[in-house]
Amino acid sequence: MMFRRREPLPRMQRLREHLWPRTGYRRAWRYLLYRMLRINDTSYSIAAGLACGVAVAFTPFVGFHFVLAALIAWLIRGNIIASALGTLIGNPWVLPFLLWSSYSVGHWLLGGGALRNLPDEITWHYLLRHPGHVLLPITVGSIPTAFAAWIVTFFPVKFLVKRAQNLRRQRFTNPAPKDGNARVETP
């Protein structure tokens, strides 16, 4: 591969780089943004794929986010790579807030009114014994929150990607002169 290291990092250091990049999160997100804008596809496809990834991040199926986002993106002819990038919104720092919003909406939709008194520590044992207390409200609540997230993501991203693609196309069709001075040719 072209940009691969000569000497691969050890596993622990590679894991550390994924959790806390040495170059910082700002640069990592900027790199992902540039990668998404340079995908050679229509603005609809890129926006639909990204919106699918963001929407799936609201579901409680954490181990299957990539697969679900790719499947939904494929069904609506969205870009699968953009859907994978969209699922990154469900990172370990944001995911609890996304799931809590899905839980709150689901509990309200199921007629719960006030939130159920949950134990201080929710374990796998508790989830397996009482799936209706946590998983059912999150699953039901993830449907409207995912739909809203899809709408809120799709339209701005479609506009921005279309604009970026047009600007990039103009830059390649009308390159600037190398000396920096704009030449005006007269007929």
Side-chain angles (χ1 to χ4, degrees):
M1 195 119 192
M2 183 183 251
F3 296 111
R4 199 170 274 188
R5 291 175 164 267
R6 288 181 193 211
E7 298 166 13
L9 292 175
R11 287 184 191 213
M12 289 306 291
Q13 193 170 359
R14 210 173 339 144
L15 177 66
R16 186 198 149 288
E17 280 290 321
H18 284 294
L19 295 175
W20 196 269
R22 190 172 6 135
T23 57
Y25 280 110
R26 185 176 181 186
R27 184 170 178 175
W29 281 106
R30 183 180 290 158
Y31 172 74
L32 288 175
L33 175 69
Y34 287 141
R35 289 280 306 258
M36 187 186 64
L37 290 176
R38 290 183 178 151
I39 294 174
N40 191 14
D41 213 343
T42 64
S43 60
Y44 167 81
S45 178
I46 294 171
L50 188 75
C52 288
V54 170
V56 167
F58 281 87
T59 65
F61 313 115
V62 176
F64 302 102
H65 280 176
F66 284 121
V67 175
L68 286 172
L71 180 66
I72 296 170
W74 178 74
L75 286 174
I76 65 170
R77 298 186 186 257
N79 190 293
I80 294 174
I81 295 170
S83 71
L85 290 175
T87 59
L88 294 177
I89 194 86
N91 61 56
W93 292 276
V94 178
L95 191 63
F97 299 108
L98 300 179
L99 293 178
W100 182 256
S101 67
S102 294
Y103 175 80
S104 301
V105 170
H107 198 270
W108 177 75
L109 285 174
L110 292 173
L115 296 176
R116 182 183 304 272
N117 292 331
L118 295 174
D120 291 336
E121 187 175 321
I122 298 176
T123 62
W124 284 108
H125 185 264
Y126 179 81
L127 289 176
L128 292 175
R129 289 187 152 242
H130 308 287
H133 291 177
V134 179
L135 292 178
L136 181 65
I138 291 175
T139 305
V140 170
S142 69
I143 294 168
T145 54
F147 183 73
W150 196 94
I151 296 292
V152 166
T153 304
F154 175 75
F155 291 106
V157 169
K158 183 178 179 195
F159 172 76
L160 291 173
V161 168
K162 187 175 212 113
R163 185 166 182 215
Q165 287 176 342
N166 287 338
L167 289 173
R168 185 179 164 114
R169 197 174 301 120
Q170 285 176 356
R171 192 172 64 228
F172 284 124
T173 57
N174 300 329
K178 293 188 189 247
D179 61 357
N181 297 328
R183 293 184 186 168
V184 178
E185 296 195 21
T186 56

